[in-house]
């Protein structure tokens, strides 16, 4: 039964691809019904403790199960995807809308398979399917050359990191003879460290951590609904979830905690600066995603995987809301330039629900985003006060760019909306805002205790950490408002625009990896043409010469021999014919000569 969490979305996606219904209403109802069923199945699986297995071969068995952490994520995925797909069905372009909805459902199915996996082989299948779906979704508008190019960039960048997961799987099988998560406890020494390094690299690539972060900007070429699902509950969430899921295995490795925290902290700070300098609404949110998942890496590295999953759930609700809100504003502006929006007067209802997501992103209590961020600060504090302060600075940057996003997209302005959002668009945003508000209940001690009992230990903030964090949020909101008033077009031109492109990281990647790789490819091509191909080319030339030579003498030999023999036989026949004179005396004479010759031969032989 547990396989149904992945099978149901895939089957419906395949059905849509075959039937190809084009009416938006039918697509919306089909997608909503599929995801609602998946959500019910996830809840039933979590309550009943479902597990599943599939024998693939003598040594290969696919396994699935739900532990508390994976049950929470498995439930979150369809819950967040449902309003996103409803929004997609009514908001995105009519051309290719069926394919888009089918791919979104397949994306959910792939992510569910990844989450329920209980062995590295099943994980790899889900991991690869998620990557393939993201490639297809980012390049959905394939007629525009830059869209599929962006999909290829994101696919190759994440595939580079995915190699680590293959290395991890090989290390696991070499050390235990099995791919199951339970068998990983038997690993030790170099194989365990190899597995840990491979998983950490793959997780960093999928979750947009440094140095893989720039692919999230390229992913913004996809439709808004794709960006929302990709950043909220699929693909990007896979890396942080995997670290939390396998923390019991990875945690004992001495360098894992500092490495995960280092990656997360660098990405969170860098992503915060990049988001603050962004002039594009979707790229601001993309940089924010890297930063927020950096916080999850910090929590896992500090030894609190439950805190990471708690922040993942909170982030999924408010980030999906903000992306959909950006899509509504961007459609009316014709671009995602923040300075060109300000639809607060024209769309006050959308502005109000968007504010819920912005406040959650900023970490303003009592919203759930604030609770999970404070838990991350408390978790980081166990590694030292300096780390907690750095995370609080990350929170201040979150408040800065969340304030910029809210005031520039739905602040008070004179812009008029070309049309009002349709009912399902508004409903999708309202549902996600309601989810963010509902998740605020985690501040209530009784709810917090239940969450801790289900997920695991949730770190409690010290008084000074809470005070520093709230002061940082206040300063960030003030700074964000000041930037909007003073530099509304910040990041559009000049040095700020250069820094907004991930602090020059894409250029560095191109210089250090892209250009050397192309140079090596060109050198390999020259070597292939001039050296490796020289031997077969020489052999071909020699073969042609031998063929020509054979054509000259071979024809003489092959044709001359039978022709010559035929001529000799013909001449002999002519000579023999002359002997047929019809005169009896000639025949007697020939017989006498023959008899004499034979007698001579016999006598010669006897004498010899």
């Amino acid at each position: 039964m547990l396989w149904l969490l992945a099978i149901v979305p895939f089957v419906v996606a395949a059905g849509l691809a075959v039937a190809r219904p084009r009416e938006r209403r039918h697509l919306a109802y089909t997608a909503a019904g599929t995801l609602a069923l998946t959500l019910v199945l996830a809840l039933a699986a979590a309550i009943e403790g479902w597990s599943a297995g599939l024998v693939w071969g003598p040594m290969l068995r696919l396994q699935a199960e739900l532990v508390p952490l994976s049950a929470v994520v498995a439930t979150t995925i369809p819950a967040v995807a449902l309003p996103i797909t409803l929004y997609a069905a009514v908001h995105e372009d009519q051309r290719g809308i069926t394919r888009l909805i089918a791919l979104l459902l397949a994306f959910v199915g792939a992510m569910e398979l990844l989450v329920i996996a209980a062995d590295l082989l099943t994980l790899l299948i889900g991991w690869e399917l998620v990557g393939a779906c993201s490639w297809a979704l980012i390049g959905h508008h394939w007629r525009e050359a830059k869209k599929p190019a962006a999909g290829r960039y994101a696919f190759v960048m994440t595939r580079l990191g995915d190699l680590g997961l293959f290395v991890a799987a090989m290390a696991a099988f070499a050390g235990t003879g099995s791919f199951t998560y339970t068998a990983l406890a038997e690993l030790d020494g170099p194989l365990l460290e190899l597995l840990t390094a491979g998983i950490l690299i793959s997780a960093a690539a999928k979750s947009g951590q440094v140095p893989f972060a720039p692919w999230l900007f390229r992913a913004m070429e996809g439709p808004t609904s794709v960006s929302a699902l990709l950043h909220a509950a699929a693909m990007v969430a896979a890396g942080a979830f995997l670290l939390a899921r396998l923390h019991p295995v990875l945690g004992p490795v001495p360098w894992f905690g500092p490495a995960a925290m280092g990656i997360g902290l660098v990405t969170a700070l860098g992503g915060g600066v990049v988001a603050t300098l962004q002039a594009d609404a979707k790229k601001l949110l993309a940089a924010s995603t890297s930063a927020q998942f950096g916080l999850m890496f910090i929590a896992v590295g500090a030894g609190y995987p439950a805190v990471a999953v708690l922040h993942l759930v909170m982030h999924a609700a408010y980030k999906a809301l903000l992306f959909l809100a950006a899509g509504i504003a961007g459609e009316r502006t014709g671009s995602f330039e923040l300075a060109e929006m300000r639809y607060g007067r024209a769309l006050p209802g959308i502005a109000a629900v968007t504010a819920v997501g912005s406040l959650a992103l900023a970490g303003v209590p009592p919203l759930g985003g604030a609770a999970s961020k404070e838990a991350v600060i408390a978790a980081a504090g166990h590694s030292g006060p300096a780390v907690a302060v750095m995370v609080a600075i990350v929170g201040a940057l979150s408040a800065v760019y969340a304030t910029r996003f809210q005031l520039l997209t739905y602040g008070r302005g004179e812009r008029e909306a070309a049309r009002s959002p349709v009912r399902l668009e508004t409903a999708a945003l309202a549902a996600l805002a309601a989810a963010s508000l509902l998740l605020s209940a985690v501040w209530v001690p009784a709810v917090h205790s239940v969450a801790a009992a289900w997920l695991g230990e949730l770190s409690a903030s010290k008084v000074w950490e809470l005070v520093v964090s709230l002061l940082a949020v206040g300063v960030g909101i003030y700074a964000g408002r000041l930037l909007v008033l003073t530099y509304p077009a910040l990041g559009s031109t000049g040095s700020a625009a250069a820094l907004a492109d991930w602090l020059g990281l894409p250029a560095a990647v191109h210089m250090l990896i892209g250009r050397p790789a192309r140079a090596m490819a060109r050198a390999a091509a020259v070597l292939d043409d001039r050296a490796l191909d020289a031997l077969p080319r020489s052999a071909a030339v020699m073969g042609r010469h031998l063929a020509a030579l054979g054509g000259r003498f071979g024809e003489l030999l092959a044709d001359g021999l039978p022709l010559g023999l035929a001529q000799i036989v013909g001449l002999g026949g002519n000579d023999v014919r002359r002997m047929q004179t019809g005169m009896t005396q000639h025949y007697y004479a020939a017989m006498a000569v023959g008899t004499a010759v034979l007698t001579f031969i016999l006598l010669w032989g006897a004498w010899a």
Side-chain angles (χ1 to χ4, degrees):
M1 291 291 288
L2 189 55
W3 296 122
L4 290 176
L5 268 69
I7 291 173
V8 168
F10 271 119
V11 169
V12 177
L16 289 177
V18 173
R20 303 189 65 79
R22 296 181 58 82
E23 189 172 343
R24 290 181 181 270
R25 182 181 61 180
H26 291 162
L27 287 171
Y29 292 161
T30 301
T34 302
L35 293 171
L37 176 59
T38 306
L39 176 59
V40 171
L41 289 171
L43 291 171
I47 295 170
E48 299 294 331
W50 291 353
S51 62
L54 178 64
V55 177
W56 193 350
M59 299 290 291
L60 302 177
R61 178 183 174 89
L62 303 183
Q63 292 184 318
E65 66 175 352
L66 284 181
V67 299
L69 290 181
S70 56
V72 169
V73 178
T75 304
T76 300
I77 293 168
V80 173
L82 199 157
I84 292 174
T85 51
L86 285 176
Y87 173 97
V90 298
H91 176 87
E92 305 297 354
D93 294 339
Q94 179 65 40
R95 173 180 274 186
I97 187 65
T98 304
R99 182 176 73 253
L100 177 64
I101 299 300
L103 283 172
L104 287 174
L105 291 176
F107 203 16
V108 170
M111 191 64 190
E112 288 285 14
L113 181 61
L114 184 155
V115 168
I116 66 176
D119 66 275
L120 291 174
L121 188 58
T122 306
L123 173 70
L124 274 168
I125 295 172
W127 200 267
E128 295 302 297
L129 287 172
V130 164
C133 289
S134 69
W135 165 78
L137 286 166
I138 294 168
H140 174 66
H141 296 299
W142 52 269
R143 293 174 179 84
E144 302 176 44
K146 65 178 182 179
K147 308 289 187 180
R152 287 194 301 272
Y153 182 94
F155 184 71
V156 171
M157 181 73 83
T158 54
R159 288 291 295 165
L160 183 62
D162 291 351
L163 295 176
L165 195 56
F166 283 91
V167 171
M170 288 186 281
F173 195 79
T176 68
S178 172
F179 292 108
T180 62
Y181 290 170
T182 53
L184 298 181
E186 302 172 15
L187 278 180
D188 58 7
L191 286 177
L192 176 58
E193 297 203 5
L194 187 61
L195 175 130
T196 302
I199 289 175
L200 182 58
I201 291 171
S202 292
K206 271 288 195 285
S207 290
Q209 301 297 287
V210 170
F212 304 97
W215 78 260
L216 289 181
F217 277 7
R218 297 296 186 94
M220 295 302 97
E221 295 294 341
T224 300
S225 54
V226 171
S227 301
L229 185 57
L230 189 86
H231 286 250
M235 183 71 169
V236 184
F241 165 76
L242 182 60
L243 292 187
R245 176 71 172 85
L246 295 182
H247 182 265
V249 176
L250 308 177
V253 177
W255 54 262
F256 169 73
M261 292 182 70
I263 292 171
L265 191 56
V266 169
T267 306
L269 289 170
V273 172
V274 170
T276 298
L277 298 175
Q278 265 301 325
D280 182 283
K282 285 179 70 175
K283 288 184 177 180
L284 182 153
L285 296 176
S288 161
T289 297
S290 288
Q292 298 304 312
F293 276 91
L295 294 179
M296 298 174 208
F297 271 60
I298 292 171
V300 174
Y304 290 87
V307 171
V309 171
L310 178 67
H311 195 56
L312 188 154
V313 174
M314 302 296 179
H315 176 266
Y318 66 68
K319 185 55 63 70
L321 166 60
L322 295 178
F323 264 111
L324 300 189
I328 290 175
E331 182 188 40
R332 284 147 185 79
T333 305
S335 74
F336 287 96
E337 287 292 320
L338 286 165
E340 302 297 323
M341 295 181 176
R342 297 188 190 244
Y343 288 101
R345 289 181 182 272
L347 301 171
I350 299 297
V353 295
T354 303
V356 174
S358 297
L359 290 170
L361 176 59
V364 176
L367 289 165
S372 59
K373 186 205 68 176
E374 299 303 333
V376 174
I377 293 176
H382 286 86
S383 298
V387 183
V389 171
M390 296 295 285
V391 176
I393 293 173
V394 172
L397 290 171
S398 299
V400 173
Y401 57 70
T403 302
R404 283 192 70 232
F405 178 85
Q406 179 65 31
L407 295 181
L408 290 174
T409 53
Y410 290 102
R412 296 174 66 83
E414 301 303 322
R415 294 298 301 264
E416 294 294 330
R419 68 172 180 85
S420 298
V422 300
R423 191 177 303 170
L424 279 180
E425 284 179 309
T426 304
L429 269 70
L432 291 167
S436 291
L437 291 172
L438 184 62
L439 289 170
S440 302
V442 76
W443 283 96
V444 178
V447 177
H448 188 276
S449 299
V450 171
W454 179 255
L455 291 173
E457 185 179 359
L458 298 175
S459 52
S461 297
K462 300 180 178 68
V463 174
W464 75 266
E465 291 171 344
L466 186 59
V467 170
V468 169
S469 175
L470 294 179
L471 285 174
V473 170
V475 170
I477 292 174
Y478 177 78
R481 183 174 181 276
L482 191 62
L483 285 175
V484 169
L485 294 175
T486 311
Y487 305 105
L490 178 66
S492 298
T493 58
S495 57
L499 292 173
D501 190 17
W502 253 106
L503 306 176
L505 183 58
V509 169
H510 176 69
M511 182 69 67
L512 298 175
I513 299 177
R515 289 182 62 179
R518 290 183 180 181
M520 289 175 62
R522 286 193 294 268
V526 171
L527 177 65
D528 182 66
D529 291 340
R530 297 182 181 178
L532 300 180
D533 285 353
L535 183 61
R537 280 202 303 268
S538 300
V541 172
M542 185 178 294
R544 285 197 296 270
H545 287 308
L546 290 174
L549 186 63
R552 295 173 188 170
F553 296 100
E555 288 183 8
L556 290 175
L557 184 62
D559 294 343
L561 184 61
L563 288 174
L565 289 173
Q567 290 177 356
I568 292 171
V569 171
L571 291 173
N574 290 332
D575 292 339
V576 171
R577 238 187 349 262
R578 292 192 189 102
M579 298 176 65
Q580 305 298 318
T581 60
M583 298 180 181
T584 304
Q585 64 271 23
H586 288 172
Y587 299 150
Y588 286 142
M591 291 171 62
V593 171
T595 302
V597 170
L598 289 173
T599 302
F600 175 77
I601 291 172
L602 291 172
L603 291 173
W604 177 265
W607 179 80

